[in-house]
Amino acid sequence: MSEDEELPDLGGGSTRSSNSTAVSGGGGDHNYVSPSPDQVLENVLENVLCFLTSRRDRNAASLVCKSWYRAEALTRSELFIGNCYSVSPRRVTNRFRLVKAIAIKGKPRFSDFSLLPPDWGAHFGPWLSAMSRSYRALEKLYLKRMSVTDDDLSFAAQSFPILKELVMVCCEGFGTGGLAIVASGCREIRVLELMDSDVGDDEADWISCFPDNVTCLESFVFDCVEAPINFEALERLVARSPSLKKLRLNCYISIGQLYRLMIRAPQLTHLGTGSFSPLEIVAQGEQELNYFSAFAACKSLICLSGFREIIPDYLSAIYPVCGNLTSLNLSYANINAEQLKPVICLCHKLQTFWVLDSVSDEGLQAVSAACKDLRELRVFPVQALEDAEGPVSEVGLLAISEGCRKLQSILYFCQRMTNAAVVAMSKNCLDLVVFRLCIMGRHRPDHITGEPMDEGFGAIVKNCKKLTRLAVSGLLTDRAFSYIGQYGKLLRTLSVAFAGNTDLGLKYLLEGCPKLQKLEIRDSPFGDSALFAGLHHYYNMRFLWMSSCKVTRQGCEEIARQLPGLVVEVITRDREENETSEYVDTLYMYRSLDGPRADAPRLMVRPSLMICGKHCTSTECRFSIARSLDFTLSVWVPCISR
């Protein structure tokens, strides 16, 4: 299901009409059965709907009428659940019977920054239980920000015998023991990707658990596993995986071991290098491995990442592949401009580039000169300090906008910025779809004029007609939000930090952005009045997150009363005994077809709360209060993740 799906009913029901008509044949007694018009229509629809691949197109088709609804459910093989609490697993499996691929997202993005209690939820267990009975033919499973246990992985390996793809992004709760079960139990696995997940070290030799015969592995990603691995087993696995195209290694793989793997797999197209440093310094007189030739032999390599403990002197080894690269991720490589220039000047086909701000404005100018086909740029801070003089500024942003005119997505961390540079980007990069500017520090103005950053962000939403995602920061007044409301008609995701004057700013957004799906706000002055301005729109949104704003408990209660199909959760941090606040710490609202969730933390529901004029229990109330003894607010930096 798509992020903006509205389903009036996910219940079961017949998928075909059983009506038929007996008709006398032309000149004889022979009778034949003619299908009813409804059945003919459904047969035609099933054949037509097979060609609809877009989730949104399918969602729209399912809402036409009951026949379309049934036919669409019968032909849908892929599901996307944008919020695991927006619908119950049973409702999903009752409606969609022939699913072969499913993607499920759990916790909101702010869980990446310790803004949720550790026991908040998003457990995969209930989904797995329902899916194991209905989707035995499941081939692809994608999980993001879900709590997954080793037992879950064991049950999944048993329940889905032909599982071919397992991808877990930002997940937690499992360890190398669970991975061993997946490796041994999923005999047809082609894709196993663990990205930014918290994987426990159970001291299990999980790499050795893959089948001993030739595997069908095509993609193997484990760069987030913070545990040593059996390299000899990995080398044997790579050698018996002739279809392997994507391999991303963790920081325990040295450049010498990388060399041995590359010799075994010259067919790789995507490579995560691991540490990119040697286990030990080569003794004087000993000949070092020819890393240059190893890269030269990988003629299909188009994507490079890793470099987690890089020694810059080894960067010259990647020169042979730079000319073919379309993606280069140096976001873990603490290198300077002089070390970057010899690499980036060879990357003329580059379309995606991630880098640390250690390359400074000078490094970004080199990117601008060499990478004319660049579509996505992300610049991360080495140190997210509020009062530091950062190495990148408006100079780097301006250079990128002038040299990379095809840019579609940018994430840019800096300590200082100007309206002029942002306006220039809005005029030079008209194809921008994603613009995320994080000016680190509270309420930073244009550092040259001292003016708010209103005109810069206003120009972005006015000139970039394709913009769907925006993150704003710096000193912003209500004027900036009036621009966003006036021109941001395609915006689907908006992140706001330390910005705004009054409730009017949020009202501009909620009343002016009809396609807004995800709204994230922190440390801003918006209160109840602004919150009520979105009553007409909340059912159309996936979620609203507000932390450290001026929303009261009473305001949240009123939202819950007026919108009974909305789940309203309030998360509050632990306070001293005599510490009180009239404002809630965090408000998280999301739509749900099945009401409040049943797995809220023990201290999450206060049964004394009155909603709709009656005493609410944990299963009836759509307003929840979460509390955690060790839950603390994060630092000031606006939460923008990789």
Side-chain angles (χ1 to χ4, degrees):
M1 286 179 287
S2 83
E3 59 192 53
D4 55 354
E5 182 169 12
E6 283 295 335
L7 294 177
D9 179 22
L10 275 173
S14 173
T15 58
R16 293 181 183 273
S17 171
S18 60
N19 295 333
S20 62
T21 304
V23 180
S24 176
D29 297 326
H30 179 67
N31 289 338
Y32 68 93
V33 177
S34 173
S36 70
D38 285 346
Q39 187 173 348
V40 172
L41 175 60
E42 289 193 19
N43 290 338
V44 173
L45 277 175
E46 288 173 17
N47 288 307
V48 172
L49 289 172
C50 288
F51 294 97
L52 281 184
T53 56
S54 165
R55 294 196 304 266
R56 294 187 182 93
D57 289 344
R58 278 189 160 272
N59 296 338
S62 70
L63 297 176
V64 173
C65 62
K66 289 184 177 180
S67 294
W68 286 56
Y69 176 89
R70 290 193 296 265
E72 194 283 320
L74 189 64
T75 58
R76 188 180 291 219
S77 62
E78 298 185 359
L79 284 181
F80 173 82
I81 311 296
N83 178 353
C84 66
Y85 292 120
S86 63
V87 62
S88 69
R90 179 176 295 182
R91 187 187 289 262
V92 171
T93 55
N94 282 346
R95 176 182 171 189
F96 302 103
R97 306 296 180 88
L98 302 176
V99 171
K100 293 185 177 180
I102 188 167
I104 308 174
K105 292 187 176 183
K107 298 178 183 178
R109 193 174 61 89
F110 280 92
S111 64
D112 297 346
F113 311 100
S114 302
L115 287 174
L116 277 182
D119 57 348
W120 184 82
H123 302 292
F124 179 49
W127 282 94
L128 179 58
S129 178
M131 290 161 51
S132 65
R133 294 188 294 269
S134 303
Y135 299 153
R136 295 284 295 176
L138 192 73
E139 297 180 359
K140 301 178 182 179
L141 177 59
Y142 174 97
L143 303 175
K144 186 170 186 180
R145 297 191 181 94
M146 297 287 288
S147 178
V148 184
T149 67
D150 287 344
D151 288 340
D152 290 338
L153 294 179
S154 177
F155 191 29
Q158 298 172 20
S159 303
F160 311 128
I162 61 171
L163 187 67
K164 294 179 174 64
E165 298 185 15
L166 175 60
V167 179
M168 292 187 285
V169 181
C170 300
C171 292
E172 61 182 4
F174 63 98
T176 52
L179 297 181
I181 297 173
V182 171
S184 61
C186 300
R187 312 295 288 186
E188 298 189 35
I189 197 78
R190 295 178 183 174
V191 175
L192 178 57
E193 298 184 355
L194 313 167
M195 295 181 286
D196 298 319
S197 293
D198 186 6
V199 183
D201 183 7
D202 304 327
E203 298 184 355
D205 185 9
W206 62 284
I207 299 289
S208 298
C209 295
F210 283 93
D212 291 330
N213 57 337
V214 175
T215 77
C216 48
L217 266 182
E218 298 173 6
S219 178
F220 188 30
V221 174
F222 62 96
D223 52 353
C224 66
V225 179
E226 298 288 341
I229 63 158
N230 184 337
F231 176 74
E232 286 70 24
L234 175 62
E235 188 175 22
R236 292 193 299 270
L237 175 63
V238 170
R240 64 179 188 273
S241 303
S243 300
L244 190 64
K245 299 293 185 182
K246 184 176 183 180
L247 177 65
R248 284 168 55 177
L249 309 165
N250 69 0
C251 62
Y252 288 90
I253 302 299
S254 69
I255 191 171
Q257 293 170 327
L258 173 66
Y259 171 87
R260 291 167 59 178
L261 295 174
M262 293 177 69
I263 296 300
R264 296 279 192 178
Q267 77 277 6
L268 289 174
T269 60
H270 295 65
L271 177 63
T273 65
S275 68
F276 214 68
S277 61
L279 286 176
E280 54 188 27
I281 302 299
V282 177
Q284 189 172 4
E286 290 186 12
Q287 186 174 0
E288 194 163 22
L289 296 171
N290 191 344
Y291 306 119
F292 189 96
S293 65
F295 276 96
C298 294
K299 300 185 182 300
S300 301
L301 207 56
I302 60 172
C303 178
L304 262 183
S305 61
F307 308 100
R308 292 185 172 246
E309 297 174 5
I310 186 173
I311 293 181
D313 291 344
Y314 288 102
L315 268 178
S316 59
I318 72 171
Y319 289 174
V321 299
C322 287
N324 288 328
L325 290 181
T326 59
S327 176
L328 178 60
N329 183 347
L330 296 176
S331 64
Y332 290 96
N334 193 349
I335 59 175
N336 59 36
E338 293 304 316
Q339 293 161 341
L340 172 67
K341 286 179 182 179
V343 172
I344 207 65
C345 71
L346 301 173
C347 300
H348 300 297
K349 295 182 181 179
L350 205 62
Q351 295 186 9
T352 300
F353 184 47
W354 294 15
V355 70
L356 291 176
D357 63 3
S358 57
V359 300
S360 73
D361 288 331
E362 184 181 355
L364 295 179
Q365 289 169 332
V367 174
S368 171
C371 307
K372 300 301 181 181
D373 204 30
L374 195 67
R375 310 300 172 87
E376 178 183 345
L377 173 67
R378 299 193 185 189
V379 181
F380 299 99
V382 174
Q383 291 183 312
L385 300 177
E386 182 174 4
D387 53 357
E389 189 72 15
V392 298
S393 66
E394 77 282 356
V395 175
L397 188 75
L398 182 60
I400 291 295
S401 72
E402 292 174 345
C404 307
R405 305 272 178 138
K406 297 180 182 180
L407 198 67
Q408 298 176 356
S409 175
I410 185 169
L411 167 60
Y412 196 87
F413 280 84
C414 62
Q415 270 89 5
R416 59 191 191 280
M417 184 52 60
T418 65
N419 280 304
V422 180
V423 171
M425 173 153 280
S426 76
K427 294 178 179 178
N428 293 332
C429 303
L430 298 177
D431 290 332
L432 274 176
V433 177
V434 176
F435 183 79
R436 295 193 285 168
L437 176 60
C438 178
I439 305 172
M440 294 181 288
R442 295 180 175 89
H443 313 299
R444 288 282 181 91
D446 181 315
H447 82 96
I448 292 180
T449 67
E451 295 292 321
M453 292 296 299
D454 298 344
E455 299 305 319
F457 285 105
I460 289 291
V461 292
K462 183 177 181 180
N463 297 327
C464 302
K465 307 295 186 182
K466 302 176 183 179
L467 198 71
T468 62
R469 184 172 185 179
L470 176 67
V472 300
S473 56
L475 179 61
L476 295 175
T477 70
D478 291 341
R479 180 187 294 271
F481 297 102
S482 71
Y483 289 145
I484 297 172
Q486 183 178 358
Y487 298 108
K489 301 305 179 183
L490 297 182
L491 277 181
R492 300 180 65 83
T493 303
L494 177 61
S495 302
V496 179
F498 304 99
N501 296 127
T502 67
D503 284 351
L504 195 58
L506 183 54
K507 289 181 180 179
Y508 287 138
L509 299 180
L510 293 171
E511 294 173 357
C513 301
K515 296 191 175 183
L516 197 60
Q517 286 288 298
K518 296 181 283 186
L519 179 55
E520 305 167 336
I521 304 172
R522 60 167 303 182
D523 296 272
S524 297
F526 308 133
D528 292 349
S529 176
L531 188 64
F532 297 151
L535 284 170
H536 68 288
H537 188 57
Y538 292 141
Y539 277 149
N540 297 323
M541 293 177 63
R542 190 195 293 183
F543 71 80
L544 167 66
W545 172 284
M546 297 180 71
S547 61
S548 300
C549 297
K550 294 187 176 181
V551 175
T552 68
R553 181 169 180 243
Q554 291 71 29
C556 297
E557 292 177 17
E558 185 60 29
I559 293 290
R561 286 192 185 94
Q562 295 198 36
L563 300 176
L566 205 66
V567 175
V568 182
E569 296 184 4
V570 172
I571 305 167
T572 180
R573 61 184 175 87
D574 188 48
R575 291 190 172 90
E576 298 294 334
E577 204 170 299
N578 55 358
E579 182 184 1
T580 60
S581 175
E582 62 178 308
Y583 305 123
V584 301
D585 292 313
T586 298
L587 166 67
Y588 178 48
M589 297 194 313
Y590 54 91
R591 63 191 181 193
S592 175
L593 296 178
D594 291 283
R597 57 196 178 102
D599 65 346
R602 181 178 299 178
L603 296 176
M604 193 159 184
V605 175
R606 289 182 181 175
S608 60
L609 183 65
M610 298 295 292
I611 295 292
C612 302
K614 65 178 182 179
H615 187 78
C616 294
T617 68
S618 61
T619 57
E620 295 173 337
C621 185
R622 287 183 170 81
F623 178 79
S624 310
I625 296 184
R627 190 169 178 267
S628 176
L629 295 179
D630 56 353
F631 173 50
T632 56
L633 291 176
S634 71
V635 294
W636 62 269
V637 179
C639 294
I640 301 181
S641 62
R642 293 171 183 263

